[in-house]
Amino acid sequence: MNKINKSIRKRYLIFLASIIVIIALMLSVVQNSINLKKSDAHIINVSGKQRMLSQRITKLNYIIKTVEKNDSKLYVKELKSLTREWEDATNYLISINEEYGNKTIDSLFNIIKPYQNKILKYSKEIINNTGSEQVIKDLKALESADLAFLTTMDTIVNEYAKSADKKLGNFKTILYLLAFIVILILIFQFFYIIKPVYNLYFLKNQVLEKTNKELLSSQEKISNNLKELKLLKDKIEESAKLGKIFIEQAPNAIAMFDKEMKYIAASQHWREDYKLTDREIIGQSHYDIFPEIGDDWKQDHKECLNGAINKCDEAPFKRADGTTQWLTWDVRPWYISKGNIGGLLMYTADITNIKEKDQEKLRIEKILDNTNEIARIGTWEVNLITGEVIWSRVTREIHEVPKDYKPILETAINFYKEGESRIKIQKAISIAIEKGTSFDIELKLVTAKGNIVWTRVIGQPEFEDDKCVMLYGVFQDINEIKTTENALNFVNEELKAILNSGPISIIGTDKNGLITHFNQGAETMLQYSAEEMIGLQTPQIIHLKEEAIERGIELSELYGRQISGFNIFIENAIEGESESRQWTYVRKDGSKFPVHLIITALRNNKGEITGFIGVGTDISESVENQKIIIDAKNNLEILTEKLTSQNSQLASFAHITSHNLRAPVSNLNSLLNFYKMSETDDEKNLLFEKFEKVINHLTSTLNTLVDAIKIRDDSSKNIENILFKDVLNKTKEILTGQIIETDTNLFGDFSKAPSIIYNRTYLESIFLNLITNSIKYRSEERAPKIVIKTTINNGKIQLSITDNGLGIDLNRHGHKLFGLNKTFHRHTEAKGVGLYLTKIQIESMGGTISATSKVNEGTTFTITF
Amino acid sequence: MKKKLNCILLIDDDDAINFIHDWVINKVDCAEKVEMAENGIEALKYLESTSEGKHPQPDLIFLDINMPGMNGWEFLEEYHKLDESKKGKIVLVMLTSSLNPDDLTKSKNIIEVSGFQNKPLTVELMQGILKEHFEDYL
């Protein structure tokens, strides 16, 4: 359309331009012709004027001739100007004609010229010579000349007129020509511009009309479509609603997403499967709800959004909470219209349960398979209607038949060894079929390769309408078990024979002590029969009770827990390999004899104790000799202990002695040096005082030491029976002052052991030292209370002195409690000799002293005499 | 003019030893003041006392091990807990004539103890101590 417009516009411009050109051209032609006509008329006028002028000049000449000379002067003047005008006009015409180029007029002018000149000459003569004779003469000539001039001039005028006419004709011709050209152009333009434009517009119009019509019809169509669309929309809305309902109420997990993976709808099942029931998910992004969704799944979704369909039968979905869900799914796009994807439809099913069951089943099957393999258990079944027999792999292997072996009932039974085994199986099968009794029997089988194996066959009949239709069961290779069992039986018998031979008592028990085995040796030795013992008694019946109790105490101390009853015999055996020691057995008649008994714990292969076995040998003879040796040994040990103790006491004594004596002695040395160096008497006196002090100290130390040494010497002398009460009373007397002063309460309780055979001096010293000690270290917060008590422990008299004083931190000071010169209290009276002496005295009499104490609660000294 | 130690503290229950040590210190003439304590408790009391707002902080302490009341080791335990402002500068443990090697080992493990000396001190020993610990004062 533009193109056409463009060309038309071009043509139209050309059309306008040409019309302007034509108009301009015509205007110029007209102008030109007007100009031409003007000049022609002028020339004709001038020519006509020439005629008039010549006539007037002639007339004037005439007048002048005729009039008086005086009057003529005015005429001459007029003649003069006319002549000049005439001459100018003539010259003008001649010059014009030169331009004009008309030859006829040229020749006419040539003709006219002499006449004009004659007139002019004559006129001039008149002007110059007025009244001359000559003039009259010439007048005639002038008349003739003028006539000739007039005639010729007429011709010229005619000629001019003719020429102008001719020009006019030419002009007309040109005008016609131009008009023709204009018409031509107009025609041409009509065809060249207007026609096509017209055509164009006509066509256009037609097209427009058509379009209009079409528009109208399409409008109608549109309105129709709109109606349909509305219907469709309603339908779609309805179906969308249904779709949503369908999705939401679908009996499986299904969800609908838009392209951004936001939920449009989700079934209740979906919400339950993914535990989303308590939150709103519609409009939310799937990935926000399941941040655990990995990039691989996101990629899958992307592909589905591009038209792919993603299906999976099972895959684990690791949830953010650590659990694993097994899922099956079908993800596919849904379409708004053909090729236009609106989002995803996701169908999933939580198959975790099924999967777990599947896996469980697989596992169990595998375990069963393995078990079967290991236990050599196969299965079999006989369809009694079809006669078909099915053997499992292991069953076939036990029969040593090829893998593709197809058994039938008769041949299957023929594998059992002829005789007992075959009869047994036939009987069992027939009873099972008739009565529905299942069976479990051990049979000998001859394999396809001729090997004889022991098998266990378990069978179970299946009934339908009171008729046995099937027998099935398991089939186990028990050859090894059977062989082992036989071997075991043999060994057992062998062992029995060994155990029963010889004078050795072998008694076996279960882990609780109940006798399970009592061999002939034991029967002989202990006079009990196996029947009396097995399953009824524990070995406690044949042991000396006191011995067992004593041993029990020993073991209890050793292990730090109560050990009694049967455990006394087995404790060491449980802990170690076996225990070997001497015991006293008591026969049924009450007589005793010593045995050397080895007790061993029996363990199964897991190391668990299953029982115990005691092997006893009578050592009556050897025991007597041993006793003597042991006594001697014990005496020696006691002696050694005594000597060692004395030795260590001596060492300690030596150490203390050196310590206690060395200090004052070196002090004395120093003082002596000073004394030697001292210059003044004052100094000497001062030093002398010091000497005295040091020497006194040394003396007292020496005395203490001498006391201690004395104790060692006469410990065993002067032994007498002493009442504790008497000793306490004497001590009270000695300490009366202190007791009153400190308000001390003394309690004596000697009811358990009122007296002792002991060295009196020592005992008095012990009482004095310990009670003094208690008073010394009394607590300032309470009145001293001292309890003195005797008891008998293990047949030995014990004396305890308990106070409620300051107490001693035994952890800190326990090791030096009884050392010499060691005191433990920030107390001025503490010198630390008393406890040392007490200890020496007690130990020299073979006793011991110990202390228990709690800081700020009190101390108890316990003396075992 | 040589400098003198401000104060020396003697801790020993043996009166004679304290006398001897005092005598030796006087002979060497190295201290303005000699203080004596009969046991750890007395010594601690002295260290914690103040005169003109200051603790005595002796330059040198001689400590006996074997003492009634509070012995040397117990004293060192308490001494360890004292403020730095109450501690002395140098503590020397006086090893008695007991020659017990355990005591030596034990004292080496106590940071407050700077050294050991045998009892009793002599003028030579005292000079040696000054040379070792108080070079400026000789």
PDB file of all heavy atoms in Angstrom, chain A residues 382-410:
ATOM      1  N   VAL A 382       4.943 -84.111  48.882  1.00  0.00           N
ATOM      2  CA  VAL A 382       4.372 -85.102  47.976  1.00  0.00           C
ATOM      3  C   VAL A 382       2.909 -84.741  47.763  1.00  0.00           C
ATOM      4  O   VAL A 382       2.145 -84.633  48.720  1.00  0.00           O
ATOM      5  CB  VAL A 382       4.455 -86.523  48.591  1.00  0.00           C
ATOM      6  CG1 VAL A 382       3.883 -87.554  47.616  1.00  0.00           C
ATOM      7  CG2 VAL A 382       5.875 -86.863  48.968  1.00  0.00           C
ATOM      8  N   ASN A 383       2.585 -84.490  46.516  1.00  0.00           N
ATOM      9  CA  ASN A 383       1.181 -84.243  46.185  1.00  0.00           C
ATOM     10  C   ASN A 383       0.540 -85.598  45.940  1.00  0.00           C
ATOM     11  O   ASN A 383       0.854 -86.274  44.958  1.00  0.00           O
ATOM     12  CB  ASN A 383       1.106 -83.345  44.954  1.00  0.00           C
ATOM     13  CG  ASN A 383      -0.309 -82.900  44.702  1.00  0.00           C
ATOM     14  OD1 ASN A 383      -1.257 -83.652  44.917  1.00  0.00           O
ATOM     15  ND2 ASN A 383      -0.439 -81.672  44.231  1.00  0.00           N
ATOM     16  N   LEU A 384      -0.339 -85.981  46.820  1.00  0.00           N
ATOM     17  CA  LEU A 384      -0.874 -87.338  46.736  1.00  0.00           C
ATOM     18  C   LEU A 384      -1.885 -87.494  45.610  1.00  0.00           C
ATOM     19  O   LEU A 384      -2.227 -88.607  45.234  1.00  0.00           O
ATOM     20  CB  LEU A 384      -1.518 -87.721  48.079  1.00  0.00           C
ATOM     21  CG  LEU A 384      -0.511 -87.881  49.230  1.00  0.00           C
ATOM     22  CD1 LEU A 384      -1.239 -88.018  50.546  1.00  0.00           C
ATOM     23  CD2 LEU A 384       0.413 -89.070  49.006  1.00  0.00           C
ATOM     24  N   ILE A 385      -2.363 -86.370  45.098  1.00  0.00           N
ATOM     25  CA  ILE A 385      -3.340 -86.475  44.001  1.00  0.00           C
ATOM     26  C   ILE A 385      -2.628 -86.637  42.678  1.00  0.00           C
ATOM     27  O   ILE A 385      -2.940 -87.513  41.880  1.00  0.00           O
ATOM     28  CB  ILE A 385      -4.266 -85.252  44.013  1.00  0.00           C
ATOM     29  CG1 ILE A 385      -5.119 -85.305  45.291  1.00  0.00           C
ATOM     30  CG2 ILE A 385      -5.170 -85.227  42.776  1.00  0.00           C
ATOM     31  CD1 ILE A 385      -5.771 -84.012  45.659  1.00  0.00           C
ATOM     32  N   THR A 386      -1.597 -85.784  42.467  1.00  0.00           N
ATOM     33  CA  THR A 386      -0.873 -85.873  41.196  1.00  0.00           C
ATOM     34  C   THR A 386       0.299 -86.834  41.273  1.00  0.00           C
ATOM     35  O   THR A 386       0.838 -87.243  40.262  1.00  0.00           O
ATOM     36  CB  THR A 386      -0.337 -84.503  40.796  1.00  0.00           C
ATOM     37  OG1 THR A 386       0.552 -84.069  41.844  1.00  0.00           O
ATOM     38  CG2 THR A 386      -1.444 -83.468  40.651  1.00  0.00           C
ATOM     39  N   GLY A 387       0.683 -87.198  42.492  1.00  0.00           N
ATOM     40  CA  GLY A 387       1.835 -88.086  42.664  1.00  0.00           C
ATOM     41  C   GLY A 387       3.154 -87.356  42.509  1.00  0.00           C
ATOM     42  O   GLY A 387       4.225 -87.941  42.527  1.00  0.00           O
ATOM     43  N   GLU A 388       3.086 -86.045  42.397  1.00  0.00           N
ATOM     44  CA  GLU A 388       4.305 -85.255  42.189  1.00  0.00           C
ATOM     45  C   GLU A 388       5.104 -85.137  43.487  1.00  0.00           C
ATOM     46  O   GLU A 388       4.538 -84.941  44.558  1.00  0.00           O
ATOM     47  CB  GLU A 388       3.922 -83.860  41.703  1.00  0.00           C
ATOM     48  CG  GLU A 388       5.083 -83.104  41.094  1.00  0.00           C
ATOM     49  CD  GLU A 388       4.705 -81.649  40.824  1.00  0.00           C
ATOM     50  OE1 GLU A 388       3.577 -81.228  41.166  1.00  0.00           O
ATOM     51  OE2 GLU A 388       5.567 -80.942  40.304  1.00  0.00           O
ATOM     52  N   VAL A 389       6.406 -85.288  43.357  1.00  0.00           N
ATOM     53  CA  VAL A 389       7.262 -85.155  44.531  1.00  0.00           C
ATOM     54  C   VAL A 389       8.235 -84.001  44.294  1.00  0.00           C
ATOM     55  O   VAL A 389       8.826 -83.908  43.229  1.00  0.00           O
ATOM     56  CB  VAL A 389       8.057 -86.456  44.799  1.00  0.00           C
ATOM     57  CG1 VAL A 389       8.960 -86.299  46.015  1.00  0.00           C
ATOM     58  CG2 VAL A 389       7.116 -87.625  44.984  1.00  0.00           C
ATOM     59  N   ILE A 390       8.318 -83.105  45.272  1.00  0.00           N
ATOM     60  CA  ILE A 390       9.249 -81.969  45.117  1.00  0.00           C
ATOM     61  C   ILE A 390      10.283 -82.041  46.222  1.00  0.00           C
ATOM     62  O   ILE A 390       9.957 -82.173  47.414  1.00  0.00           O
ATOM     63  CB  ILE A 390       8.501 -80.622  45.180  1.00  0.00           C
ATOM     64  CG1 ILE A 390       7.479 -80.534  44.053  1.00  0.00           C
ATOM     65  CG2 ILE A 390       9.493 -79.460  45.097  1.00  0.00           C
ATOM     66  CD1 ILE A 390       6.512 -79.375  44.187  1.00  0.00           C
ATOM     67  N   TRP A 391      11.544 -81.978  45.800  1.00  0.00           N
ATOM     68  CA  TRP A 391      12.651 -81.946  46.758  1.00  0.00           C
ATOM     69  C   TRP A 391      13.356 -80.594  46.647  1.00  0.00           C
ATOM     70  O   TRP A 391      13.586 -80.116  45.533  1.00  0.00           O
ATOM     71  CB  TRP A 391      13.684 -83.051  46.446  1.00  0.00           C
ATOM     72  CG  TRP A 391      13.269 -84.433  46.871  1.00  0.00           C
ATOM     73  CD1 TRP A 391      12.142 -84.764  47.527  1.00  0.00           C
ATOM     74  CD2 TRP A 391      14.004 -85.632  46.654  1.00  0.00           C
ATOM     75  NE1 TRP A 391      12.096 -86.111  47.759  1.00  0.00           N
ATOM     76  CE2 TRP A 391      13.240 -86.673  47.222  1.00  0.00           C
ATOM     77  CE3 TRP A 391      15.221 -85.946  46.044  1.00  0.00           C
ATOM     78  CZ2 TRP A 391      13.660 -87.995  47.190  1.00  0.00           C
ATOM     79  CZ3 TRP A 391      15.629 -87.257  46.021  1.00  0.00           C
ATOM     80  CH2 TRP A 391      14.846 -88.278  46.601  1.00  0.00           C
ATOM     81  N   SER A 392      13.749 -80.041  47.788  1.00  0.00           N
ATOM     82  CA  SER A 392      14.532 -78.804  47.730  1.00  0.00           C
ATOM     83  C   SER A 392      15.978 -79.154  47.387  1.00  0.00           C
ATOM     84  O   SER A 392      16.363 -80.314  47.343  1.00  0.00           O
ATOM     85  CB  SER A 392      14.460 -78.070  49.066  1.00  0.00           C
ATOM     86  OG  SER A 392      15.297 -78.707  49.996  1.00  0.00           O
ATOM     87  N   ARG A 393      16.738 -78.129  47.168  1.00  0.00           N
ATOM     88  CA  ARG A 393      18.131 -78.321  46.754  1.00  0.00           C
ATOM     89  C   ARG A 393      18.898 -79.166  47.773  1.00  0.00           C
ATOM     90  O   ARG A 393      19.580 -80.129  47.415  1.00  0.00           O
ATOM     91  CB  ARG A 393      18.800 -76.947  46.622  1.00  0.00           C
ATOM     92  CG  ARG A 393      20.215 -76.987  46.102  1.00  0.00           C
ATOM     93  CD  ARG A 393      20.733 -75.582  45.876  1.00  0.00           C
ATOM     94  NE  ARG A 393      20.635 -74.761  47.079  1.00  0.00           N
ATOM     95  CZ  ARG A 393      21.540 -74.799  48.062  1.00  0.00           C
ATOM     96  NH1 ARG A 393      22.570 -75.610  47.999  1.00  0.00           N
ATOM     97  NH2 ARG A 393      21.392 -74.032  49.122  1.00  0.00           N
ATOM     98  N   VAL A 394      18.748 -78.779  49.050  1.00  0.00           N
ATOM     99  CA  VAL A 394      19.513 -79.501  50.082  1.00  0.00           C
ATOM    100  C   VAL A 394      19.063 -80.957  50.153  1.00  0.00           C
ATOM    101  O   VAL A 394      19.882 -81.863  50.317  1.00  0.00           O
ATOM    102  CB  VAL A 394      19.370 -78.789  51.446  1.00  0.00           C
ATOM    103  CG1 VAL A 394      20.110 -79.542  52.535  1.00  0.00           C
ATOM    104  CG2 VAL A 394      19.895 -77.366  51.359  1.00  0.00           C
ATOM    105  N   THR A 395      17.753 -81.156  50.010  1.00  0.00           N
ATOM    106  CA  THR A 395      17.252 -82.539  50.025  1.00  0.00           C
ATOM    107  C   THR A 395      17.920 -83.355  48.908  1.00  0.00           C
ATOM    108  O   THR A 395      18.368 -84.483  49.130  1.00  0.00           O
ATOM    109  CB  THR A 395      15.721 -82.531  49.841  1.00  0.00           C
ATOM    110  OG1 THR A 395      15.159 -81.680  50.815  1.00  0.00           O
ATOM    111  CG2 THR A 395      15.149 -83.922  49.975  1.00  0.00           C
ATOM    112  N   ARG A 396      18.003 -82.736  47.738  1.00  0.00           N
ATOM    113  CA  ARG A 396      18.641 -83.433  46.619  1.00  0.00           C
ATOM    114  C   ARG A 396      20.107 -83.694  46.925  1.00  0.00           C
ATOM    115  O   ARG A 396      20.646 -84.744  46.639  1.00  0.00           O
ATOM    116  CB  ARG A 396      18.515 -82.604  45.329  1.00  0.00           C
ATOM    117  CG  ARG A 396      17.137 -82.698  44.687  1.00  0.00           C
ATOM    118  CD  ARG A 396      17.189 -82.242  43.228  1.00  0.00           C
ATOM    119  NE  ARG A 396      17.637 -80.875  43.098  1.00  0.00           N
ATOM    120  CZ  ARG A 396      16.824 -79.820  43.179  1.00  0.00           C
ATOM    121  NH1 ARG A 396      15.533 -80.004  43.365  1.00  0.00           N
ATOM    122  NH2 ARG A 396      17.316 -78.606  43.056  1.00  0.00           N
ATOM    123  N   GLU A 397      20.730 -82.710  47.543  1.00  0.00           N
ATOM    124  CA  GLU A 397      22.153 -82.867  47.872  1.00  0.00           C
ATOM    125  C   GLU A 397      22.358 -84.004  48.858  1.00  0.00           C
ATOM    126  O   GLU A 397      23.318 -84.767  48.746  1.00  0.00           O
ATOM    127  CB  GLU A 397      22.707 -81.562  48.465  1.00  0.00           C
ATOM    128  CG  GLU A 397      23.040 -80.540  47.397  1.00  0.00           C
ATOM    129  CD  GLU A 397      23.427 -79.184  47.985  1.00  0.00           C
ATOM    130  OE1 GLU A 397      23.672 -79.123  49.204  1.00  0.00           O
ATOM    131  OE2 GLU A 397      23.463 -78.230  47.213  1.00  0.00           O
ATOM    132  N   ILE A 398      21.451 -84.110  49.827  1.00  0.00           N
ATOM    133  CA  ILE A 398      21.585 -85.197  50.813  1.00  0.00           C
ATOM    134  C   ILE A 398      21.428 -86.549  50.126  1.00  0.00           C
ATOM    135  O   ILE A 398      22.149 -87.503  50.412  1.00  0.00           O
ATOM    136  CB  ILE A 398      20.561 -85.022  51.953  1.00  0.00           C
ATOM    137  CG1 ILE A 398      20.852 -83.733  52.728  1.00  0.00           C
ATOM    138  CG2 ILE A 398      20.608 -86.209  52.912  1.00  0.00           C
ATOM    139  CD1 ILE A 398      19.749 -83.323  53.681  1.00  0.00           C
ATOM    140  N   HIS A 399      20.520 -86.598  49.156  1.00  0.00           N
ATOM    141  CA  HIS A 399      20.321 -87.850  48.423  1.00  0.00           C
ATOM    142  C   HIS A 399      21.443 -88.104  47.417  1.00  0.00           C
ATOM    143  O   HIS A 399      21.486 -89.162  46.806  1.00  0.00           O
ATOM    144  CB  HIS A 399      18.982 -87.822  47.671  1.00  0.00           C
ATOM    145  CG  HIS A 399      17.799 -88.101  48.554  1.00  0.00           C
ATOM    146  ND1 HIS A 399      17.178 -87.130  49.317  1.00  0.00           N
ATOM    147  CD2 HIS A 399      17.104 -89.246  48.812  1.00  0.00           C
ATOM    148  CE1 HIS A 399      16.179 -87.655  49.974  1.00  0.00           C
ATOM    149  NE2 HIS A 399      16.104 -88.950  49.711  1.00  0.00           N
ATOM    150  N   GLU A 400      22.271 -87.093  47.248  1.00  0.00           N
ATOM    151  CA  GLU A 400      23.377 -87.156  46.280  1.00  0.00           C
ATOM    152  C   GLU A 400      22.881 -87.486  44.880  1.00  0.00           C
ATOM    153  O   GLU A 400      23.439 -88.334  44.194  1.00  0.00           O
ATOM    154  CB  GLU A 400      24.446 -88.149  46.743  1.00  0.00           C
ATOM    155  CG  GLU A 400      25.143 -87.691  48.017  1.00  0.00           C
ATOM    156  CD  GLU A 400      26.348 -88.535  48.403  1.00  0.00           C
ATOM    157  OE1 GLU A 400      26.236 -89.784  48.394  1.00  0.00           O
ATOM    158  OE2 GLU A 400      27.381 -87.952  48.716  1.00  0.00           O
ATOM    159  N   VAL A 401      21.800 -86.786  44.508  1.00  0.00           N
ATOM    160  CA  VAL A 401      21.278 -86.965  43.146  1.00  0.00           C
ATOM    161  C   VAL A 401      21.587 -85.702  42.361  1.00  0.00           C
ATOM    162  O   VAL A 401      21.838 -84.650  42.954  1.00  0.00           O
ATOM    163  CB  VAL A 401      19.747 -87.217  43.164  1.00  0.00           C
ATOM    164  CG1 VAL A 401      19.425 -88.547  43.783  1.00  0.00           C
ATOM    165  CG2 VAL A 401      19.021 -86.083  43.872  1.00  0.00           C
ATOM    166  N   PRO A 402      21.588 -85.802  41.030  1.00  0.00           N
ATOM    167  CA  PRO A 402      21.868 -84.593  40.242  1.00  0.00           C
ATOM    168  C   PRO A 402      20.797 -83.515  40.466  1.00  0.00           C
ATOM    169  O   PRO A 402      19.699 -83.797  40.930  1.00  0.00           O
ATOM    170  CB  PRO A 402      21.851 -85.095  38.793  1.00  0.00           C
ATOM    171  CG  PRO A 402      21.531 -86.529  38.829  1.00  0.00           C
ATOM    172  CD  PRO A 402      21.393 -87.000  40.218  1.00  0.00           C
ATOM    173  N   LYS A 403      21.155 -82.327  40.071  1.00  0.00           N
ATOM    174  CA  LYS A 403      20.286 -81.191  40.325  1.00  0.00           C
ATOM    175  C   LYS A 403      18.927 -81.326  39.650  1.00  0.00           C
ATOM    176  O   LYS A 403      17.922 -80.826  40.141  1.00  0.00           O
ATOM    177  CB  LYS A 403      20.953 -79.906  39.819  1.00  0.00           C
ATOM    178  CG  LYS A 403      21.913 -79.296  40.839  1.00  0.00           C
ATOM    179  CD  LYS A 403      22.539 -78.046  40.298  1.00  0.00           C
ATOM    180  CE  LYS A 403      23.638 -77.569  41.241  1.00  0.00           C
ATOM    181  NZ  LYS A 403      24.394 -76.455  40.666  1.00  0.00           N
ATOM    182  N   ASP A 404      18.952 -81.948  38.484  1.00  0.00           N
ATOM    183  CA  ASP A 404      17.685 -82.020  37.729  1.00  0.00           C
ATOM    184  C   ASP A 404      16.911 -83.310  38.030  1.00  0.00           C
ATOM    185  O   ASP A 404      15.985 -83.662  37.324  1.00  0.00           O
ATOM    186  CB  ASP A 404      17.973 -81.888  36.230  1.00  0.00           C
ATOM    187  CG  ASP A 404      19.029 -82.887  35.792  1.00  0.00           C
ATOM    188  OD1 ASP A 404      19.539 -83.639  36.675  1.00  0.00           O
ATOM    189  OD2 ASP A 404      19.362 -82.931  34.598  1.00  0.00           O
ATOM    190  N   TYR A 405      17.289 -83.985  39.065  1.00  0.00           N
ATOM    191  CA  TYR A 405      16.635 -85.244  39.400  1.00  0.00           C
ATOM    192  C   TYR A 405      15.180 -85.025  39.788  1.00  0.00           C
ATOM    193  O   TYR A 405      14.859 -84.135  40.567  1.00  0.00           O
ATOM    194  CB  TYR A 405      17.383 -85.917  40.564  1.00  0.00           C
ATOM    195  CG  TYR A 405      16.822 -87.265  40.969  1.00  0.00           C
ATOM    196  CD1 TYR A 405      17.144 -88.414  40.234  1.00  0.00           C
ATOM    197  CD2 TYR A 405      15.979 -87.391  42.069  1.00  0.00           C
ATOM    198  CE1 TYR A 405      16.626 -89.644  40.608  1.00  0.00           C
ATOM    199  CE2 TYR A 405      15.457 -88.606  42.436  1.00  0.00           C
ATOM    200  CZ  TYR A 405      15.783 -89.751  41.697  1.00  0.00           C
ATOM    201  OH  TYR A 405      15.264 -90.956  42.068  1.00  0.00           O
ATOM    202  N   LYS A 406      14.286 -85.867  39.172  1.00  0.00           N
ATOM    203  CA  LYS A 406      12.855 -85.736  39.475  1.00  0.00           C
ATOM    204  C   LYS A 406      12.395 -86.995  40.202  1.00  0.00           C
ATOM    205  O   LYS A 406      12.229 -88.038  39.581  1.00  0.00           O
ATOM    206  CB  LYS A 406      12.074 -85.591  38.146  1.00  0.00           C
ATOM    207  CG  LYS A 406      12.241 -84.229  37.493  1.00  0.00           C
ATOM    208  CD  LYS A 406      10.898 -83.520  37.392  1.00  0.00           C
ATOM    209  CE  LYS A 406      11.035 -82.050  37.119  1.00  0.00           C
ATOM    210  NZ  LYS A 406      11.615 -81.720  35.810  1.00  0.00           N
ATOM    211  N   PRO A 407      12.183 -86.880  41.506  1.00  0.00           N
ATOM    212  CA  PRO A 407      11.804 -88.090  42.242  1.00  0.00           C
ATOM    213  C   PRO A 407      10.311 -88.428  42.093  1.00  0.00           C
ATOM    214  O   PRO A 407       9.503 -87.540  41.811  1.00  0.00           O
ATOM    215  CB  PRO A 407      12.114 -87.689  43.690  1.00  0.00           C
ATOM    216  CG  PRO A 407      11.956 -86.207  43.709  1.00  0.00           C
ATOM    217  CD  PRO A 407      12.270 -85.701  42.359  1.00  0.00           C
ATOM    218  N   ILE A 408       9.984 -89.688  42.244  1.00  0.00           N
ATOM    219  CA  ILE A 408       8.575 -90.088  42.396  1.00  0.00           C
ATOM    220  C   ILE A 408       8.461 -90.845  43.719  1.00  0.00           C
ATOM    221  O   ILE A 408       9.468 -91.266  44.291  1.00  0.00           O
ATOM    222  CB  ILE A 408       8.064 -90.938  41.204  1.00  0.00           C
ATOM    223  CG1 ILE A 408       8.954 -92.168  41.011  1.00  0.00           C
ATOM    224  CG2 ILE A 408       7.983 -90.117  39.939  1.00  0.00           C
ATOM    225  CD1 ILE A 408       8.360 -93.178  40.074  1.00  0.00           C
ATOM    226  N   LEU A 409       7.236 -90.981  44.167  1.00  0.00           N
ATOM    227  CA  LEU A 409       7.030 -91.492  45.529  1.00  0.00           C
ATOM    228  C   LEU A 409       7.753 -92.821  45.775  1.00  0.00           C
ATOM    229  O   LEU A 409       8.470 -92.991  46.763  1.00  0.00           O
ATOM    230  CB  LEU A 409       5.535 -91.640  45.799  1.00  0.00           C
ATOM    231  CG  LEU A 409       5.128 -91.823  47.250  1.00  0.00           C
ATOM    232  CD1 LEU A 409       5.697 -90.735  48.137  1.00  0.00           C
ATOM    233  CD2 LEU A 409       3.625 -91.853  47.380  1.00  0.00           C
ATOM    234  N   GLU A 410       7.603 -93.761  44.855  1.00  0.00           N
ATOM    235  CA  GLU A 410       8.195 -95.099  45.059  1.00  0.00           C
ATOM    236  C   GLU A 410       9.711 -95.032  45.158  1.00  0.00           C
ATOM    237  O   GLU A 410      10.305 -95.504  46.120  1.00  0.00           O
ATOM    238  CB  GLU A 410       7.813 -96.044  43.896  1.00  0.00           C
ATOM    239  CG  GLU A 410       6.565 -96.859  44.161  1.00  0.00           C
ATOM    240  CD  GLU A 410       5.327 -96.001  44.079  1.00  0.00           C
ATOM    241  OE1 GLU A 410       5.158 -95.339  43.044  1.00  0.00           O
ATOM    242  OE2 GLU A 410       4.553 -95.938  45.061  1.00  0.00           O
TER     243      GLU A 410
END
